[in-house]
Amino acid sequence: MPVFFQSRAGRQCLLVMALGVTLWLAGAILELDNWLVAFVSAYENYGADKLVLALGIGGAMSFVYSILRIVDLRKEMELRASAQAKADWTATHDHLTKLPNRYAFERKVPPRRTKTDVEDDEWEGNVTIFSVDLDGFKKVNDLVGHNGGDALLTEVAKRICAIGNADCVYRFGGDEFVVVTLGLSSKHEERFARLLIQAVTRPIHINGFAVEVGASVGYDRWEQGREPLEDAAHRADLAMYEAKARGPNHQMAFEASMQDKVAKRATLESKLRVAIQRKAIRPFYQPLIDLRNGTVCGFEALARWTDGDGVTIPPPVFIGIAEETGLITELFEDLLAQACRDALSWDDQVTLSFNVSPVQMEDKLLASRIFKVLSANGLPPHRLEIEITENGLIQDPAVAAIILDELHDAGVRIALDDFGTGYSSLAQLARYRFDKIKIDKSFIATCRDDERQEKIIRAMLGLGRSLNILTTAEGIEEHRQLGHLLQLGCDVGQGYLFGKAMPAEETRSFVLTRDEILANG
């Protein structure tokens, strides 16, 4: 609007103009009325009065219809707006906990705090993203069922909302939550993370059971104005996974090294996929020695991988990635097939020992996969020994029992690996049938210097004899360890003292050389 009309004189001018227009319209209406009266009087004999009346009634009805139509349209618009709002709420909220979801988070822009006289500069505008993931949630589902699991998630959501602003707590799916906070200093961020863990880990009573879950928390600040909010959430997620790797109930702030670690892992995962496709990962074989006569009674297959750059990747690293990415089944079948073909070149009494990942023990088709590989490569089932750790048994005991029974019925032997390092070794021996127990190398390393360790080994060997189960001692590296185990009556030995893991082409010569040494005394 021009400056003139913003002044008092301008407003008075506008008022005069409006009054003039109003008077003109009133005069026009009166003139029209006079014209209609004159028209009706002049043409009354021709029914002009009826025509004007009809036009008047029609105009009035049109006006009323227009009003009703406007009212209907307004109601329709309100209903449509309500339906859209309901659909938007459904799309942006979790149906179980009623918390906003990931889509709502992606649309969220936290408001900036206004600086006041009492606020310190370091508190102004700090936006911190906390990523919270539950530990042990699957076990709760197994204990109280999925309805109980839903009840636990609902209670956890309430507890997190009681600590943070309910409008800033999100459920990203499963057992993962995200919390957005404003105005926390670095010290208060760590304290807030601990509060989240304490709130989540308190016992929750469900269907008469007091259940507990752990929590891993990672967090990082959002660089306002320089990045999307999702970038900070991603960094908080990386910190959370790093905290989870350290065990339950840990919290960690994001560090740049975590991003580098993820990048390296992504590169390694890509290389692993290619290596599996090209069958570049090979089994090496460490000998198992019958301590009663000194002969080779078997070889344990151990996966080895050297990438295209000549770098040797440790088995725990690439096997862990294979488990997380779902590649473990393909890798397992490929390595087992190679090992079966290699074992055919050994004498019939020499067995092949092969490890099964704990993740695979949740696969109900594991036994069928093993039988298929044995049949395709011509290795008799009785020459295969499967090694299983206790971790593989406790993931899903019912499925594990089915798998072990199927393998036993077919003639495959079962060994309990790393015996003595789990939480329920004796319980596993009572529940499942095993042909061998392998004493973990941590006991062997200190048995001569630690009286308690020696007594534990004696107990393990006595337990094996009483149950008619063979015992294998892992990690034998010194002659004095071997002599002591011979005195104690251990059945099988394994370790660097006898031989390191070797390629398949060296196993035959190793057996022949050892037989010659035994023959020559």
Side-chain angles (χ1 to χ4, degrees):
M1 181 179 293
V3 178
F4 171 75
F5 291 111
Q6 297 179 10
S7 63
R8 182 175 180 182
R11 290 195 293 272
Q12 290 177 347
C13 183
L14 282 175
L15 183 60
V16 171
M17 291 174 61
L19 182 59
V21 171
T22 303
L23 292 173
W24 181 84
L25 288 174
I29 292 173
L30 289 173
E31 185 65 28
L32 178 62
D33 181 65
N34 292 334
W35 181 84
L36 285 174
V37 172
F39 176 79
V40 171
S41 299
Y43 297 95
E44 185 175 1
N45 295 332
Y46 297 96
D49 56 340
K50 296 183 178 61
L51 175 62
V52 172
L53 180 61
L55 290 174
I57 294 173
M61 293 179 65
S62 297
F63 178 76
V64 172
Y65 174 79
S66 299
I67 296 297
L68 293 176
R69 183 58 180 158
I70 290 172
V71 172
D72 290 342
L73 287 174
R74 184 172 182 177
K75 289 182 178 179
E76 185 176 347
M77 291 174 65
E78 289 176 351
L79 291 173
R80 183 174 298 179
S82 176
Q84 288 178 345
K86 185 177 180 179
D88 184 74
W89 191 95
T90 302
T92 57
H93 286 75
D94 172 51
H95 73 281
L96 176 64
T97 62
K98 305 302 184 288
L99 292 176
N101 58 18
R102 184 186 297 271
Y103 179 58
F105 178 82
E106 292 172 353
R107 301 196 313 187
K108 182 172 182 68
V109 178
R112 285 185 174 272
R113 294 171 60 96
T114 58
K115 185 176 179 181
T116 65
D117 295 335
V118 297
E119 286 179 330
D120 190 36
D121 286 345
E122 84 169 303
W123 286 65
E124 190 213 355
N126 291 342
V127 178
T128 309
I129 312 298
F130 291 83
S131 179
V132 184
D133 190 79
L134 306 186
D135 301 318
F137 178 67
K138 182 180 182 300
K139 294 180 180 178
V140 174
N141 264 341
D142 295 338
L143 177 64
V144 296
H146 290 289
N147 289 335
D150 289 345
L152 182 139
L153 289 173
T154 303
E155 176 61 26
V156 167
K158 291 179 180 178
R159 293 182 179 184
I160 295 177
C161 289
I163 298 176
N165 187 340
D167 293 334
C168 295
V169 179
Y170 301 80
R171 184 189 177 198
F172 272 24
D175 54 1
E176 184 178 355
F177 297 84
V178 167
V179 184
V180 179
T181 63
L182 301 176
L184 294 183
S185 66
S186 299
K187 183 172 69 174
H188 286 82
E189 287 172 346
E190 183 179 358
R191 187 177 302 172
F192 186 83
R194 289 199 299 267
L195 283 174
L196 286 172
I197 293 175
Q198 291 171 7
V200 170
T201 54
R202 293 201 315 269
I204 300 174
H205 294 276
I206 299 175
N207 298 333
F209 293 94
V211 299
E212 297 181 20
V213 291
S216 300
V217 178
Y219 57 93
D220 193 41
R221 283 190 184 175
W222 178 45
E223 298 179 4
Q224 301 183 54
R226 291 191 289 174
E227 64 175 359
L229 192 61
E230 298 83 23
D231 289 359
H234 174 66
R235 293 194 299 271
D237 220 33
L238 295 180
M240 180 270 292
Y241 282 114
E242 191 70 22
K244 185 179 285 288
R246 300 195 177 192
N249 305 332
H250 278 78
Q251 78 277 346
M252 290 196 68
F254 173 79
E255 298 175 1
S257 59
M258 297 177 185
Q259 188 73 53
D260 298 336
K261 183 177 179 180
V262 170
K264 290 179 181 178
R265 186 191 180 284
T267 301
L268 193 58
E269 179 184 335
S270 178
K271 289 183 177 181
L272 177 61
R273 292 182 183 276
V274 175
I276 293 176
Q277 291 176 357
R278 297 179 178 177
K279 303 187 185 304
I281 301 176
R282 300 174 54 199
F284 275 43
Y285 304 94
Q286 187 172 29
L288 300 169
I289 306 300
D290 188 335
L291 297 183
R292 293 165 295 189
N293 54 33
T295 61
V296 177
C297 60
F299 285 95
E300 180 181 355
L302 302 170
R304 295 292 183 265
W305 176 32
T306 301
D307 67 12
D309 299 325
V311 178
T312 299
I313 313 298
V317 174
F318 68 80
I319 291 177
I321 294 176
E323 290 175 339
E324 294 174 13
T325 56
L327 297 171
I328 188 64
T329 298
E330 184 179 357
L331 177 60
F332 171 82
E333 293 180 353
D334 182 51
L335 289 173
L336 180 58
Q338 293 185 56
C340 288
R341 292 191 294 269
D342 293 336
L344 292 175
S345 65
W346 307 334
D347 294 339
D348 290 343
Q349 71 273 15
V350 178
T351 61
L352 168 64
S353 184
F354 206 89
N355 292 278
V356 171
S357 162
V359 173
Q360 294 177 269
M361 291 303 295
E362 299 180 37
D363 179 8
K364 296 180 180 180
L365 298 178
L366 177 61
S368 300
R369 299 182 195 279
I370 293 174
F371 298 150
K372 182 179 178 180
V373 174
L374 290 175
S375 176
N377 294 277
L379 186 72
H382 71 270
R383 290 192 60 191
L384 177 64
E385 181 178 89
I386 291 296
E387 296 189 12
I388 300 169
T389 63
E390 289 184 59
N391 288 338
L393 299 174
I394 63 177
Q395 298 296 327
D396 195 330
V399 172
I402 294 173
I403 293 173
L404 296 187
D405 287 342
E406 290 179 350
L407 292 173
H408 258 131
D409 293 342
V412 176
R413 294 196 285 183
I414 309 296
L416 180 59
D417 198 10
D418 299 335
F419 183 72
T421 60
Y423 295 103
S424 55
S425 298
L426 296 180
Q428 308 302 353
L429 289 179
R431 180 167 186 171
Y432 306 101
R433 291 183 296 163
F434 293 102
D435 302 287
K436 180 190 289 185
I437 54 177
K438 300 187 71 173
I439 302 174
D440 188 71
K441 59 185 178 182
S442 61
F443 295 98
I444 306 302
T446 58
C447 66
R448 293 289 295 171
D449 304 319
D450 190 326
E451 183 179 354
R452 292 174 61 86
Q453 294 284 66
E454 181 178 352
K455 289 181 179 179
I456 291 174
I457 292 177
R458 288 179 181 272
M460 291 179 182
L461 294 174
L463 181 64
R465 284 192 292 269
S466 63
L467 295 175
N468 197 27
I469 299 175
L470 295 176
T471 52
T472 296
E474 299 178 303
I476 302 176
E477 299 180 357
E478 302 174 359
H479 285 283
R480 66 170 189 157
Q481 294 173 340
L482 174 59
H484 188 60
L485 290 168
L486 288 172
Q487 291 178 359
L488 296 177
C490 185
D491 299 303
V492 181
Q494 180 181 6
Y496 288 167
L497 181 63
F498 305 112
K500 297 182 179 181
M502 64 192 74
E505 53 269 22
E506 297 180 12
T507 56
R508 185 66 181 170
S509 60
F510 177 86
V511 174
L512 294 175
T513 301
R514 188 165 185 85
D515 288 345
E516 291 178 2
I517 293 174
L518 293 174
N520 295 329

